[in-house]
Amino acid sequence: MSIAIPQLPKGTRDFYPEAERIQNYIFDTWRKTAESFAYEEYEGPMFEHLELYTGKSGEEIVSQLYNFVDKGDRAIALRPEMTPTLARLVIQKARELKKPFKWFSMPRLFRYEKAQKGRLREFFQLNMDIIGTESIYAEADLMAAIATMLRKFGLKDGEFAIGVSSRKLLATYLEEIGAPNPSLVYPVLDRRLKIGPEAFAKALTDAGLTEDQIAKLDAFMSCKSIEEVQASVHSEAATAALAEIQDLFATLQAAGFGECVNLDLSIVRGLAYYTGIVFEVFDKGKSMRAIAGGGRYDSLTEKLGGDRIPGVGFGMGDVVLADLLREHNLLPSPKQSVDFYIASFTNDMKKVFETAQLFRAGSAAENDANHTVSHPLAPMKMGKQLEQANYQGAKIVIYVDGDKAKDGEFEFKDLRDGTMHVGNVEAIVAKL
Ligand code: HAM
């Protein structure tokens, strides 16, 4: 009887060591940048009660849930995003947590959506959020972190842009033109550039808007500068929302990020919980899907049954980011690289293991050495050992029984230039 070979589920990835090395490079850069901005790391469960998502996140995410009923008859969903989990954590310790605070997480997420370029059913997403302040400088902090992170990955200003819009501004404009049902209108506005002008107009007509209102909205969303918007809004609330954006841009400009942000009123975001600034990060020319997206959600904890605690944050997925970095040749080599390979002419395995430990510990001068050390796992000819050393990307091969070495010394070969030397542990470590 033949058994079918097991298949990788659609929209998921295997991470063989070469892929995992790239993945870890992304995680390391995410974590280091978040920590350099003083965000603290948190985690939650990979599944939650289905309830946490239904009706709170907006239809788009709910239709993409992976859900099931467990053996205790509970309706469960694999997490499609982190924000509801974060809101739950905040509600649970609302009194104890000293606000404002800045947290980050790098969850594995699941969405049952059509797998395509930039979109998978399982992916990772850096989340950075600030809880407990309504100040626009929280947005500034998040955007400074995004730009710093993308620069750290090697992207230059101008190769990416953080497009900024405001739900508040949009809401007041909708009110000004007398448009009904903002909650029906947002999902349509979010799809404006994806569905084309005709489908856009039809969907808005279906949502109850007149031709004149649709034309006004289209013009509004095409505004490219604050001055242009100022000419079309008149309410006090809209003016205040615009002033906030102006302050945000001026602050980022002062911190050296002026080239990284721009006004983009075509950004609406599909999720229902956003209440203020919304933003998305794109590659230059928007040739790919968004690298990241986020915004302010001041009433999510309240909607979930807790007190009203303001929040703002974003999610940056690993898939589009890696595609973009690959396109710019900015991913590190996926090849293994070890510091030392311990070899033996006489296959003295005891000496090999003993010496490997010596080099893992490092020299007396280093108090926290973290050298990677490899060696053969079975007796073999020197030629084979060197082949293995090369394959594993070893920098230095150490011979445990070279006849030119005195007591306490080793013969060693620097594989980077092919030169042979003799020295003690200190001297060899110094060569790295
Ligand atoms: P989102 O726009 O759904 O926002 O996702 C943010 C980013 O995650 C996207 O720009 C994209 O890079 C990545 N992403 C989303 N879905 C997929 C997928 N199926 N495959 C690969 N990457 C994907 C949120 O999730 C919000 N909860 C973010 C947030 C945090 N807002 C406030 N705090």
Side-chain angles (χ1 to χ4, degrees), residues 121-387:
R121 291 185 171 176
E122 184 191 42
F123 61 100
F124 293 89
Q125 192 194 58
L126 167 71
N127 277 249
M128 292 175 68
D129 289 88
I130 303 182
I131 305 293
T133 174
E134 288 183 25
S135 163
I136 191 73
Y137 302 117
E139 276 87 337
D141 193 66
L142 290 160
M143 291 178 195
I146 291 175
T148 303
M149 186 172 299
L150 295 178
R151 286 176 181 172
K152 209 174 265 188
F153 277 118
L155 290 169
K156 297 196 181 62
D157 292 10
E159 288 178 338
F160 65 89
I162 307 174
V164 179
S165 182
S166 160
R167 279 264 176 108
K168 234 189 278 172
L169 187 61
L170 196 54
T172 53
Y173 188 69
L174 285 174
E175 212 178 285
E176 258 188 63
I177 62 170
N181 292 329
S183 59
L184 286 182
V185 173
Y186 289 143
V188 181
L189 300 187
D190 184 50
R191 293 200 306 274
R192 174 171 162 268
L193 297 177
K194 288 170 211 145
I195 60 179
E198 271 143 50
F200 177 65
K202 164 140 194 351
L204 284 180
T205 311
D206 292 349
L209 269 69
T210 64
E211 218 171 288
D212 177 53
Q213 287 168 331
I214 295 171
K216 278 188 174 146
L217 250 182
D218 198 53
F220 178 78
M221 291 177 81
S222 308
C223 285
K224 289 274 166 286
S225 70
I226 291 181
E227 295 71 36
E228 226 180 306
V229 188
Q230 263 160 348
S232 52
V233 296
H234 311 286
S235 75
E236 216 172 281
T239 312
L242 262 186
E244 205 177 55
I245 298 179
Q246 250 166 338
D247 192 13
L248 171 67
F249 285 177
T251 307
L252 286 167
Q253 169 94 38
F257 301 111
E259 299 300 306
C260 308
V261 283
N262 62 261
L263 185 75
D264 186 346
L265 296 187
S266 73
I267 293 169
V268 179
R269 308 274 298 140
L271 298 162
Y273 48 66
Y274 293 117
T275 53
I277 294 283
V278 282
F279 55 96
E280 270 173 351
V281 187
F282 284 97
D283 64 299
K284 182 184 165 205
K286 287 197 179 180
S287 70
M288 294 179 170
R289 285 166 179 278
I291 310 164
R296 178 165 280 285
Y297 47 95
D298 284 348
S299 38
L300 181 59
T301 52
E302 198 174 28
K303 275 194 196 159
L304 290 171
D307 296 338
R308 185 176 182 281
I309 303 169
V312 57
F314 71 87
M316 180 185 290
D318 63 330
V319 184
V320 181
L321 176 66
D323 284 348
L324 180 65
L325 296 179
R326 196 170 298 113
E327 202 172 83
H328 285 267
N329 236 331
L330 290 172
L331 288 174
S333 161
K335 294 266 174 265
Q336 185 178 14
S337 107
V338 308
D339 296 323
F340 302 117
Y341 186 92
I342 316 294
S344 168
F345 293 103
T346 59
N347 287 309
D348 183 344
M349 295 305 285
K350 294 190 183 62
K351 195 89 211 248
V352 165
F353 270 76
E354 185 195 328
T355 310
Q357 280 309 94
L358 196 65
F359 278 89
R360 282 191 189 106
S363 68
E366 302 165 305
N367 52 17
D368 190 20
N370 198 14
H371 304 138
T372 45
V373 182
S374 179
H375 57 70
L377 292 171
M380 60 180 73
K381 293 214 170 75
M382 183 50 72
K384 278 266 172 246
Q385 295 182 54
L386 289 179
E387 206 177 283

Side-chain angles (χ1 to χ4, degrees), residues 340 359 362-363 366 369 371 396 424-432:
F340 302 117
F359 278 89
S363 68
E366 302 165 305
H371 304 138
I396 292 175
N424 61 13
V425 178
E426 299 278 279
I428 299 175
V429 165
K431 269 264 176 198
L432 268 187

